[in-house]
């Protein structure tokens, strides 16, 4: 497929021509999509989890470097992916340091038609990047093994990756519009942490009132600040600023995650 001009500023780093990548293909399922048959943000997050798991299992490093946690995920929806169709994911390293990496995943989709969605649609395209931290079995940041570092470093020229938040906006005062987001036992993974996709389910609830943002190319960014464990209660604080929706997920008085979903125009202006 032909990749259209990138609509976001700054654009996510493209793959170097010499860089090897891991590729996997999945079917779009009805459980991934909303009532307009658009793949939801939580559905996209599940694709990213699946290819990350498949990628590490396909290497020799599932024993030496098995534990990784996500600190941030950026999702650029350039052309929406809808049902029915097939998605192809390509995953590679765009930058790294000795303990963390920026892993890029390009998601393309060839759409099909059926009796429920009979109109032809252009190919889908979503560009993503996730800041992954290598951790030990105690959950503490750990050096990437030399062998894994060498493999990842060959994919990129950026070997001095540093963390910088994309969400400098501080938590605003409560204006009486906060709401509770109910968590379920199925939202948690085997490590007793809230599954990455479950955070996006709360965001999708909010986007029902802001469809003008997601009806056009948009960027969604989540930064995970504190783990959310079983028994927690999430309070959502949200603000609409022009073409951008900001969310703060509060647990026990502390911000556990911050989220931004912005139309192209807002993202161009902010960055």
């Amino acid at each position: 497929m032909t990749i259209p001009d990138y609509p976001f500023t700054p654009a996510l780093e493209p793959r170097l021509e010499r860089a090897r990548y891991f590729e996997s293909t999945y079917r779009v399922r009805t459980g991934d999509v909303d009532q307009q048959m658009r793949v939801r943000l939580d559905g996209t997050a599940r694709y990213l989890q699946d290819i990350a798991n498949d990628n590490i299992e396909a290497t020799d490093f599932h024993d030496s470097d098995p534990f990784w946690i996500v600190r941030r995920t950026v999702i650029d929806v350039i052309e929406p992916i809808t049902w029915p169709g097939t998605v192809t994911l390509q995953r590679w390293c765009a930058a790294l340091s000795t303990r963390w990496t920026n892993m890029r995943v390009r998601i393309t989709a060839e759409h099909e038609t059926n009796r429920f969605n009979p109109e032809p649609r252009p190919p889908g395209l979503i560009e993503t990047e996730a800041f992954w931290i290598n951790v030990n079995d105690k959950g503490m940041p750990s050096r990437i093994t030399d062998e894994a570092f060498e493999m990842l470093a060959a994919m990129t020229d950026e070997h001095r990756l540093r963390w910088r938040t994309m969400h400098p906006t501080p938590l605003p005062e409560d204006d009486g519009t906060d709401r509770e987001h109910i968590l379920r036992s199925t939202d948690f993974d085997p490590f007793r942490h809230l599954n990455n996709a479950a955070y996006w389910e709360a965001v999708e609830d909010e986007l029902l009132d802001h469809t003008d943002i997601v009806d056009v190319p948009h960027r969604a960014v989540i930064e995970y600040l504190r783990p959310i464990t079983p028994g927690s209660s999430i309070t959502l604080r949200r603000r609409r600023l022009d073409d951008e929706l900001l969310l703060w997920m509060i647990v026990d008085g502390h911000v556990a995650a911050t989220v931004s979903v912005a139309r192209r125009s807002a993202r161009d202006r902010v960055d």
Side-chain angles (χ1 to χ4, degrees):
M1 65 179 295
T2 300
I3 304 299
D5 291 338
Y6 206 92
F8 300 102
T9 305
L12 300 179
E13 288 295 325
R15 185 179 71 243
L16 298 179
E17 287 189 11
R18 71 171 189 272
R20 51 187 291 199
Y21 57 90
F22 180 79
E23 182 173 288
S24 191
T25 299
Y26 310 108
R27 292 290 295 169
V28 178
R29 308 294 184 182
T30 54
D32 302 325
V33 302
D34 62 12
Q35 296 170 55
Q36 285 70 49
M37 303 187 190
R38 169 187 64 91
V39 169
R40 302 186 308 266
L41 293 171
D42 58 292
T44 301
R46 276 186 283 273
Y47 293 149
L48 299 180
Q49 290 177 161
D50 288 345
I51 195 171
N53 290 334
D54 293 347
N55 190 179
I56 197 168
E57 287 296 325
T59 71
D60 295 330
F61 310 121
H62 56 273
D63 291 324
S64 63
D65 300 76
F67 304 119
W68 298 79
I69 60 173
V70 177
R71 182 73 167 80
R72 172 173 59 219
T73 301
V74 180
I75 300 175
D76 285 348
V77 179
I78 297 169
E79 187 67 45
I81 294 173
T82 56
W83 175 84
T86 299
V87 291
T88 298
L89 283 71
Q90 295 178 349
R91 187 174 193 260
W92 69 93
C93 179
L96 81 163
S97 189
T98 56
R99 288 176 168 81
W100 44 72
T101 69
N102 269 344
M103 298 301 295
R104 286 272 281 107
V105 178
R106 169 172 290 163
I107 309 175
T108 57
E110 294 298 330
H111 292 133
E112 303 163 12
T113 59
N114 62 15
R115 59 182 297 186
F116 303 104
N117 201 355
E119 296 300 323
R121 290 100 65 209
L125 175 62
I126 297 177
E127 298 277 11
T128 77
E129 182 175 86
F131 190 100
W132 288 85
I133 301 175
N134 188 41
V135 298
N136 58 26
D137 56 2
K138 302 293 192 300
M140 299 300 295
S142 179
R143 287 184 65 89
I144 302 169
T145 60
D146 291 343
E147 296 79 8
F149 186 93
E150 182 180 358
M151 181 192 73
L152 294 168
M155 303 178 190
T156 175
D157 293 330
E158 177 53 71
H159 299 163
R160 298 177 64 86
L161 175 65
R162 299 183 184 277
W163 169 261
R164 183 171 68 92
T165 181
M166 296 176 68
H167 288 161
T169 306
L171 177 69
E173 294 294 328
D174 180 11
D175 63 358
T177 62
D178 290 358
R179 75 166 180 89
E180 183 180 5
H181 178 73
I182 304 299
L183 297 175
R184 303 160 298 178
S185 62
T186 52
D187 291 332
F188 294 89
D189 62 24
F191 307 103
R192 296 177 59 82
H193 286 167
L194 189 65
N195 185 280
N196 293 338
Y199 289 83
W200 289 112
E201 292 174 358
V203 178
E204 286 285 348
D205 281 346
E206 292 300 321
L207 288 173
L208 290 175
D209 295 327
H210 304 275
T211 56
D212 62 299
I213 292 179
V214 294
D215 285 344
V216 297
H218 56 279
R219 169 173 285 183
V221 181
I222 187 168
E223 292 187 353
Y224 306 96
L225 306 179
R226 295 170 177 265
I228 299 178
T229 56
S232 299
S233 175
I234 295 180
T235 298
L236 286 180
R237 188 162 299 171
R238 56 263 206 246
R239 297 290 186 272
R240 175 70 184 260
L241 302 176
D242 299 325
D243 291 333
E244 185 170 24
L245 176 66
L246 299 173
L247 299 173
W248 294 262
M249 298 184 180
I250 305 168
V251 176
D252 297 329
H254 299 283
V255 178
T258 56
V259 181
S260 165
V261 186
R263 293 165 56 105
R264 171 185 172 179
S265 58
R267 190 45 55 188
D268 285 345
R269 186 167 57 252
V270 170
D271 291 329

